[in-house]
Amino acid sequence: LRTRVEPSAPFSTLLEQVRTTTLEALAHQDLLHDRLELGLHGRDVVGAVRFMLGLARTDWADVPEVIELGAGTGSYTGQILDRLGPHAILTAIERDPGLAARVMARYPDDKRLTVLCEDAGLELERRAPGTVPLMVSALPWTSMPPADRDRLLRLAASRLAPGGELLTIQYT
């Protein structure tokens, strides 16, 4: 699901936009059901992620920079790298040292990738407001402490470039 984030808007406005987008998606949920079911029931989670990222954007090759929040084992990292152009930059952030090492080991020769082992908020705080064209997140927003979630969402919203996007992948 895609929602435009306006850094100056209150958090309650963002929640209302997400609510509206979610309700609209639920009204049309059968359109993609067969394709997603094929991917998920066949345990082809990477295929399902590939499909979802493809729906989210068609211009990946034109994106100069992506920040990945919560890289985990690097499954989404690889899908992002596959779509980015040769001069793009991907900064993958994972706070768990074991998982961050795993991401680095999976893509050791890709010069477009930088893996940071730290809290995502630290990197976002270093970034100038309004400069990041695209963020992809697999962070578990719904299970985070509200203060942490709100802090990260505010930081992410403030760092997005005009017209920038925050793509969030959630699963249970």
Side-chain angles (χ1 to χ4, degrees), residues 6 10 15 18 23 29 32 35 45-46 60 63-64 89-90 108 119 122 128 131 135 141 149 161:
E6 294 297 327
L15 287 178
V18 170
L23 290 174
Q29 65 185 332
L32 301 176
R35 180 73 185 264
V45 176
V46 172
W60 285 94
V63 176
I89 297 167
L90 171 58
D119 179 271
L122 295 175
T131 59
M135 291 183 214
W141 299 112
R149 178 194 61 225

Side-chain angles (χ1 to χ4, degrees), residues 14 33 52 70 93 145:
L14 173 62
H33 179 266
M52 289 183 278
I93 306 169

Side-chain angles (χ1 to χ4, degrees), residues 3 15 44 47 54 69 74 76 95 122 128 132 134 136 143 154 164-165:
T3 299
L15 287 178
D44 181 12
L69 307 174
Y76 302 145
R95 71 179 184 177
L122 295 175
V132 180
L134 177 62
V136 176
S143 64
R154 280 190 189 95
E165 295 178 328

Side-chain angles (χ1 to χ4, degrees), residues 2-83:
R2 183 183 295 185
T3 299
R4 293 268 182 210
V5 177
E6 294 297 327
S8 60
F11 186 67
S12 60
T13 301
L14 173 62
L15 287 178
E16 182 57 34
Q17 288 174 328
V18 170
R19 180 185 175 281
T20 301
T21 301
T22 301
L23 290 174
E24 289 172 0
L26 287 173
H28 299 94
Q29 65 185 332
D30 293 333
L31 295 175
L32 301 176
H33 179 266
D34 293 339
R35 180 73 185 264
L36 288 173
E37 185 176 80
L38 173 67
L40 295 175
H41 283 226
R43 299 288 183 214
D44 181 12
V45 176
V46 172
V49 170
R50 184 180 306 119
F51 175 68
M52 289 183 278
L53 286 175
L55 282 177
R57 292 192 76 93
T58 57
D59 63 343
W60 285 94
D62 298 329
V63 176
E65 179 184 21
V66 178
I67 294 179
E68 181 183 14
L69 307 174
T73 62
S75 294
Y76 302 145
T77 308
Q79 293 300 316
I80 296 166
L81 288 168
D82 287 348
R83 288 168 171 69

Side-chain angles (χ1 to χ4, degrees), residues 5 10-12 14-16 18 69 95 119-121 124-125 135 137-158 166 168 170:
V5 177
F11 186 67
S12 60
L14 173 62
L15 287 178
E16 182 57 34
V18 170
L69 307 174
R95 71 179 184 177
D119 179 271
L124 293 176
E125 287 170 352
M135 291 183 214
S137 171
L139 292 174
W141 299 112
T142 58
S143 64
M144 293 173 82
D148 293 343
R149 178 194 61 225
D150 293 353
R151 176 181 148 266
L152 283 173
L153 284 171
R154 280 190 189 95
L155 275 169
S158 71
L166 169 62
T168 299
Q170 295 287 273

